[in-house]
Amino acid sequence: MKTIKASVFMILLFQILVFAQNEDAEGCKDHPLLNRMSGFYITSCETRDFDVFDFPIENSTDGERKVESVEGKKYYLYYNNSKEDKIITSRQILKNFETALNGIKATVFKLIEPNNSYSFVCGVLKKGKMETWVHVTASDNEYEVNIVEKEVMKQEIQATDIYRELNESGFIALDIHFDTGKSTIKAESQPIIDALFDMLKSNPDLKVSIEGHTDNTGNADANKKLSIARAQAVMDALIKKGIAKTRLTSTGFGQEVPVADNRTEEGKAKNRRVEIIKK
């Protein structure tokens, strides 16, 4: 009789342990944008108020593919299949999320190939002032999700603001955004270029130096070259709009002159800047 009771107890204990193993890790829950696949549970998660993630924006796994570095509130979720006797393939998982992202009208980038461990699905949903970026990779019976919520800030700086700061401080740091690893000015930063042009046009005797700066990610020499190219791009944009070349100079310092701690993502964001110096 005691043996039977002991056996029943062990079976119940085993069932409890299995159930517990298939519960979400403590404090973890789905992101509201996407439901999990049926039968999966969260084994680990992490949320950071500010971080950065490189999202692929080309349908390729090549190392030279174009990526978008997105900063904002970041979520990390890792899922496992609770039904160990049933194999859910990586292809099935990725196709599921491709369909889900298309269903919410996200812009989707993907590469789903058999036996390619670098296959992925990436999507960006723009709604109001928020962009939500999603990146999913998978193996059989498990998948990983990285999500960044990026608040799209309007560049509302005015020509008078720039001129006042130049007179008071002798310089102003502008948050001009460029394509990742390139000197192409993003469309979202065009209002800053326009304000800078208006300021220079309204003050024809003013001469300025345009100086580029980066964070410490990557190679120092490459960062310096990039900062020089970005400062030159700003100068070229102003010349194209009608500012005389004789009023402008440009240079770059790469990662040599940080204004914040490069050990944090917030600090790195502040260090990636273009400064306008009154001459």
Side-chain angles (χ1 to χ4, degrees), residues 9-231:
F9 173 77
M10 291 301 294
I11 291 171
L12 289 173
L13 179 61
F14 175 76
Q15 290 175 338
I16 290 171
L17 288 172
V18 169
F19 178 75
Q21 289 174 348
N22 292 338
E23 285 186 326
D24 289 342
E26 183 177 357
C28 296
K29 60 182 180 179
D30 298 316
H31 187 276
L33 185 68
L34 293 171
N35 294 325
R36 73 182 67 188
M37 289 190 67
S38 177
F40 281 76
Y41 63 100
I42 305 172
T43 57
S44 63
C45 67
E46 184 179 37
T47 301
R48 296 186 178 184
D49 289 335
F50 188 90
D51 206 343
V52 62
F53 189 85
D54 290 337
F55 292 89
I57 52 175
E58 288 184 343
N59 300 329
S60 168
T61 59
D62 186 88
E64 298 300 318
R65 67 185 174 186
K66 189 174 182 180
V67 299
E68 181 82 11
S69 293
V70 182
E71 299 171 339
K73 187 170 185 179
K74 183 176 179 295
Y75 302 84
Y76 169 80
L77 297 160
Y78 200 95
Y79 293 83
N80 279 91
N81 183 14
S82 61
K83 301 175 182 178
E84 297 180 357
D85 59 336
K86 183 178 181 180
I87 296 178
I88 308 298
T89 66
S90 60
R91 179 180 177 83
Q92 184 178 346
I93 294 169
L94 293 176
K95 292 295 289 184
N96 175 84
F97 279 99
E98 179 190 1
T99 301
L101 289 167
N102 282 323
I104 59 174
K105 309 300 182 183
T107 301
V108 176
F109 305 94
K110 64 182 175 66
L111 188 73
I112 305 174
E113 292 181 342
N115 302 317
N116 186 343
S117 60
Y118 294 99
S119 292
F120 71 92
V121 171
C122 174
V124 54
L125 178 67
K126 299 181 180 182
K127 191 173 183 180
K129 294 183 178 180
M130 184 69 69
E131 287 183 2
T132 304
W133 290 73
V134 180
H135 183 261
V136 184
T137 54
S139 299
D140 292 352
N141 280 347
E142 57 188 9
Y143 64 91
E144 178 179 274
V145 182
N146 283 282
I147 297 175
V148 175
E149 295 172 342
K150 173 188 175 184
E151 186 174 0
V152 182
M153 303 297 290
K154 289 186 177 180
Q155 305 281 12
E156 295 181 346
I157 192 166
Q158 302 295 318
T160 52
D161 299 326
I162 298 174
Y163 188 65
R164 181 175 60 252
E165 188 66 22
L166 284 177
N167 282 329
E168 291 178 358
S169 304
F171 77 99
I172 184 171
L174 299 176
D175 187 23
I176 298 174
H177 296 168
F178 301 85
D179 286 348
T180 302
K182 298 181 180 180
S183 59
T184 305
I185 301 171
K186 286 182 174 289
E188 66 197 53
S189 291
Q190 190 57 47
I192 297 181
I193 302 298
D194 294 340
L196 187 53
F197 165 75
D198 290 340
M199 185 276 297
L200 289 166
K201 184 180 179 182
S202 299
N203 301 276
D205 295 329
L206 180 64
K207 295 182 179 181
V208 298
S209 173
I210 302 164
E211 302 182 354
H213 300 269
T214 70
D215 61 29
N216 67 345
T217 303
N219 178 272
D221 289 338
N223 285 339
K224 188 161 188 176
K225 290 178 181 178
L226 180 61
S227 69
I228 291 171
R230 287 178 169 177

